[in-house]
């Protein structure tokens, strides 16, 4: 397979300029009236105000022109081609760069379209390879017109499928879809409990404040007294609501389908996203239940692989929030490989609690004693009331840590299955991670003094993923279980190498 060289769409020049370009454009828009009112005779006579305004505008115009010129040169000197079994990207500027990506190493081909790209009729194609060194960012971004983008993706997919001995068909029908109501419920179930409390408290404060406004001659004074509070409330509400509703725009029109060894995802309102995931590149699956989700017995599913969720504002969700029964039913359609078994979850060792609680108590006791000692010796220039508040705060933090340790003890566990290792972690939020033994790259464990005395240890499992998703904690369990897991990892990886 060979194709003539081609460039990205010219609109990539404006995308690469980024926010700097649009900031300068907005500056000129807001300064049009001021520039139009410049008295050129005053400028010639040395008017400082007019000269400053003109000089700033000229400097900004020169900056944007220089940046635009550089991006134009990069665009004109960058060529893309498909040669045999690789994608070659060459840049022939002063510093020549050639990037060759083997098509067989591509793990995912994703397509995005933000508002600007929708206006100019382009798509951004994002290619990721199955490599740890590039796991935290997209390897290649290519911007093409819609027709060329679809053709480019089809060519790459056809080649990948031919290598696997499968037909290169594009997925059009979806097995799973979510309505607007489902997406709204997902936003609610995945909301931070802190955000919900702040939102409820702010609304209650608004109601109480409005009802407490005095009437008559003092109503103006009352309004003036609360106007600052109202402004603060609006800011708080805006930030909280933004966090609650942003997922609606991200997951609007969420659809998913499984076809042979590929999973197709499509979602987005303002920014459309299309993901194509190779099943054999998925290294783990996570089932997440945040605090509200645990109360309502809901969970959503994430996949851990290279190419999805490795950039800011990029999601790796496979299924939105729903009941356990619906989750298993839909997951059996999209990814049956990860739900073939549900091993018994071995809970965290009770004795392990004593490896955390003493440290919390000792630290809180030292801080409290220090406040009392410095206060009695007049080293702290604060009143007794403030000292009491600080001590109460320390005690509350200690109790909160106690609750966290208890919730962690009730939540965490390990399931040692035949082919899949199940890790359950979290405190108020519960995260269940399914990892095939063959995908585990490294496992280690640690023993503290209490662990050596009672025969338990905690550990860490490493898989191929971005930095955030590559490390998974293994809770405090009996040391014998680590030996059992070690044998299974060696056996599965040995079979994988033979294949």
């Amino acid at each position: 397979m060979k194709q003539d060289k081609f460039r990205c769409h010219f609109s990539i020049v404006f995308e690469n300029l980024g926010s700097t370009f649009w900031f300068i454009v907005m500056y000129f828009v807001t300064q049009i009236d001021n520039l139009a009112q410049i008295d050129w005779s005053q400028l010639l006579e040395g008017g400082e105000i007019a000269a400053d305004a003109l000089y700033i505008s000229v400097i900004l115009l020169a900056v944007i022109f220089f940046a635009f010129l550089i991006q134009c040169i990069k665009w004109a000197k960058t060529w893309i081609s498909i040669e045999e079994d690789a994608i070659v990207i060459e840049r022939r500027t002063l510093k020549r760069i050639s990037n060759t990506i083997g098509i067989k190493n591509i793990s995912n081909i994703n397509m995005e379209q933000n508002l600007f790209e929708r206006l100019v009729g382009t798509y951004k194609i994002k290619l990721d390879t199955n490599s740890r060194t590039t796991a935290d960012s997209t390897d290649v971004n290519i911007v093409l017109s819609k027709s060329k983008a679809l053709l480019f993706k089809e060519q790459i997919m056809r080649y990948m499928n031919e290598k696997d001995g499968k037909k290169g068909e594009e997925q059009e029908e979806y097995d799973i879809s979510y309505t607007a109501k489902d997406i709204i419920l997902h936003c609610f179930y995945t909301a931070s409990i802190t955000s919900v409390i702040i939102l409820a408290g702010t609304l209650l404060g608004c109601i109480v404040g409005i009802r407490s406004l005095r009437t008559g001659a003092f109503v103006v004074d009352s309004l003036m007294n609360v106007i600052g509070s109202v402004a603060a409330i609006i800011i708080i509400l805006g930030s909280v609501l933004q966090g609650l509703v942003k997922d609606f725009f991200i997951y609007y029109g969420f659809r998913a389908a499984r076809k042979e060894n590929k999973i197709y995802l499509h979602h987005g309102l303002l920014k459309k996203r299309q993901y194509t995931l190779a099943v054999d590149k998925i290294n783990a699956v996570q089932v997440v239940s945040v605090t509200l989700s645990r109360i309502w017995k809901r969970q959503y599913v994430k996949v851990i692989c290279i190419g999805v969720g490795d950039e800011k504002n990029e999601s790796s969700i496979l299924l939105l929030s729903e009941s356990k029964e619906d989750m298993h039913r839909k997951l059996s359609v999209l990814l049956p490989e990860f739900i073939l078994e549900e091993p018994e979850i071995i809970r965290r060792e009770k004795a392990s609690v004593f490896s955390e609680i003493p440290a919390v108590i000792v630290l809180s006791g030292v801080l409290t004693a220090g406040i009392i000692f410095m206060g009695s010796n007049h080293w702290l220039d604060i009143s007794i009331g403030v000292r009491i508040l600080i001590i109460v705060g320390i005690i509350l933090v200690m109790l909160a840590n106690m609750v966290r340790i208890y919730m962690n003890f009730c939540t965490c566990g390990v399931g040692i299955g035949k082919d899949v290792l199940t890790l359950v972690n979290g405190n108020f939020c519960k995260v269940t991670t399914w990892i095939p033994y063959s995908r585990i790259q490294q496992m280690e464990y640690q023993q503290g003094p209490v662990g050596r005395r009672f025969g338990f240890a905690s550990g860490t499992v490493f898989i191929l993923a971005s930095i955030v998703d590559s490390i998974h904690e293994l809770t405090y369990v009996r040391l014998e279980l680590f030996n059992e897991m070690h044998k299974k990892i060696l056996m599965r990886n040995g079979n994988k190498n033979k294949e």
Side-chain angles (χ1 to χ4, degrees):
M1 179 176 64
K2 189 171 182 179
Q3 181 177 319
D4 293 336
K5 296 180 180 180
F6 59 94
R7 297 190 187 98
C8 285
H9 193 273
F10 185 73
S11 62
I12 196 174
V13 170
F14 299 97
E15 293 198 46
N16 288 338
L17 286 174
S19 57
T20 303
F21 169 77
W22 299 110
F23 171 78
I24 295 177
V25 169
M26 291 304 299
Y27 171 82
F28 278 105
V29 170
T30 57
Q31 295 296 319
I32 287 177
D33 292 337
N34 294 334
L35 293 173
Q37 295 175 4
I38 292 179
D39 187 347
W40 295 98
S41 61
Q42 183 184 15
L43 177 63
L44 295 174
E45 294 173 0
E48 294 183 1
I49 297 177
D52 290 344
L54 183 61
Y55 292 156
I56 292 174
S57 300
V58 170
I59 291 172
L60 291 177
L61 187 60
V63 169
I64 194 172
F65 176 77
F66 185 69
F68 179 77
L69 183 61
I70 291 176
Q71 293 300 329
C72 285
I73 294 174
K74 287 183 178 180
W75 169 80
K77 296 293 185 179
T78 302
W79 296 90
I80 305 166
S81 62
I82 303 175
E83 300 180 2
E84 299 301 331
D85 58 351
I87 299 173
V88 180
I89 302 175
E90 293 181 282
R91 178 178 294 170
R92 301 172 183 175
T93 53
L94 293 177
K95 182 179 180 181
R96 297 201 170 190
I97 300 173
S98 180
N99 185 12
T100 303
I101 301 174
I103 296 178
K104 65 179 181 179
N105 296 321
I106 295 176
S107 60
N108 297 294
I109 303 176
N110 306 325
M111 294 179 66
E112 289 187 357
Q113 192 179 42
N114 56 35
L115 283 176
F116 175 73
E117 290 162 348
R118 292 170 72 177
L119 288 173
V120 298
T122 60
Y123 270 96
K124 182 186 279 100
I125 299 177
K126 306 173 75 173
L127 304 177
D128 286 274
T129 58
N130 208 37
S131 170
R132 177 179 289 276
T133 56
T134 58
D136 295 297
S137 62
T138 298
D139 295 310
V140 176
N141 285 319
I142 300 174
V143 177
L144 299 173
S145 64
K146 182 178 180 180
S147 58
K148 290 184 178 179
L150 295 176
L151 179 61
F152 179 82
K153 181 180 177 181
E154 182 183 351
Q155 288 178 314
I156 301 301
M157 293 295 297
R158 186 187 302 119
Y159 180 87
M160 295 172 67
N161 288 327
E162 286 174 356
K163 286 295 183 181
D164 294 334
K166 297 169 183 175
K167 296 180 180 180
E169 281 183 41
E170 185 66 27
Q171 177 65 32
E172 294 182 357
E173 297 182 357
Y174 290 86
D175 301 316
I176 294 168
S177 60
Y178 293 90
T179 64
K181 177 183 176 182
D182 296 330
I183 297 168
I184 292 173
L185 290 175
H186 171 80
C187 295
F188 170 75
Y189 292 136
T190 58
S192 167
I193 189 67
T194 304
S195 299
V196 174
I197 292 174
I198 293 175
L199 179 62
T202 304
L203 292 176
L204 181 62
C206 289
I207 295 172
V208 172
I210 292 172
R211 297 190 62 179
S212 65
L213 286 176
R214 292 175 290 176
T215 59
F218 300 99
V219 69
V220 175
D221 292 336
S222 300
L223 287 171
M224 294 302 295
N225 289 333
V226 301
I227 192 170
S229 301
V230 170
I233 288 172
I234 292 175
I235 295 174
I236 294 172
L237 283 176
S239 60
V240 172
L241 289 174
Q242 186 269 341
L244 292 175
V245 305
K246 68 177 182 179
D247 282 356
F248 179 83
F249 294 94
I250 294 175
Y251 300 115
Y252 181 83
F254 193 104
R255 302 187 296 276
R258 170 71 180 265
K259 183 175 176 61
E260 296 179 342
N261 69 329
K262 299 288 192 301
I263 295 178
Y264 298 86
L265 301 176
H266 184 283
H267 57 81
L269 181 59
L270 300 180
K271 185 175 185 178
K272 293 184 177 181
R273 294 177 171 90
Q274 297 180 31
Y275 299 131
T276 302
L277 310 179
V279 173
D280 58 353
K281 305 297 184 181
I282 296 175
N283 297 316
V285 172
Q286 281 188 334
V287 180
V288 183
S289 294
V290 299
T291 306
L292 286 178
S293 297
R294 295 186 72 176
I295 294 173
W296 296 93
K297 297 183 179 179
R298 295 290 188 274
Q299 52 269 308
Y300 64 90
V301 179
K302 295 173 54 180
V303 293
I304 297 178
C305 62
I306 303 300
V308 179
D310 55 9
E311 290 190 339
K312 186 179 179 181
N313 298 325
E314 191 174 69
S315 170
S316 61
I317 286 184
L318 184 66
L319 293 174
L320 302 185
S321 294
E322 49 202 335
S323 64
K324 184 177 180 180
E325 295 75 16
D326 289 338
M327 182 266 292
H328 277 280
R329 177 175 56 82
K330 293 179 179 179
L331 197 59
S332 66
V333 175
L334 296 179
L335 205 58
E337 293 84 351
F338 284 83
I339 61 169
L340 297 177
E341 55 180 317
E342 287 192 55
E344 178 186 359
I345 301 300
I346 302 169
R347 296 298 174 186
R348 176 179 171 177
E349 287 291 314
K350 295 180 180 179
S352 65
V353 175
F354 296 103
S355 65
E356 294 186 70
I357 289 180
V360 175
I361 294 176
V362 169
L363 179 60
S364 301
V366 169
L367 290 175
T368 302
I371 294 296
I372 295 173
F373 177 78
M374 288 187 290
S376 61
N377 287 275
H378 304 289
W379 292 357
L380 287 177
D381 189 18
I382 54 177
S383 64
I384 295 178
V386 174
R387 273 181 268 167
I388 293 174
L389 288 176
I390 294 175
I391 293 173
V392 170
I394 294 173
I395 295 174
L396 290 176
V397 171
M398 180 187 70
L399 293 176
N401 273 287
M402 295 290 191
V403 173
R404 178 190 61 79
I405 294 171
Y406 174 75
M407 290 298 296
N408 186 267
F409 171 75
C410 294
T411 301
C412 293
V414 177
I416 304 177
K418 181 181 177 181
D419 299 306
V420 177
L421 176 65
T422 304
L423 305 179
V424 184
N425 290 298
N427 302 313
F428 300 98
C429 173
K430 180 180 179 181
V431 179
T432 303
T433 307
W434 295 328
I435 309 175
Y437 294 111
S438 58
R439 307 297 172 85
I440 296 177
Q441 296 190 325
Q442 179 183 343
M443 184 185 72
E444 61 183 35
Y445 69 86
Q446 309 86 28
Q447 272 189 305
V450 179
R452 289 194 296 271
R453 171 65 180 82
F454 292 97
F456 64 82
S458 63
T460 307
V461 172
F462 298 86
I463 63 174
L464 179 60
S466 60
I467 293 178
V468 175
D469 292 323
S470 64
I471 303 174
H472 299 271
E473 294 182 2
L474 210 162
T475 190
Y476 297 91
V477 292
R478 305 293 299 177
L479 188 59
E480 295 80 12
L481 296 177
F482 282 93
N483 297 328
E484 184 178 349
M485 287 183 279
H486 178 72
K487 292 178 182 178
K488 288 183 176 292
I489 292 171
L490 290 179
M491 182 174 63
R492 295 302 183 279
N493 281 288
N495 294 337
K496 181 180 178 182
N497 293 332
K498 289 179 182 179
E499 294 175 359

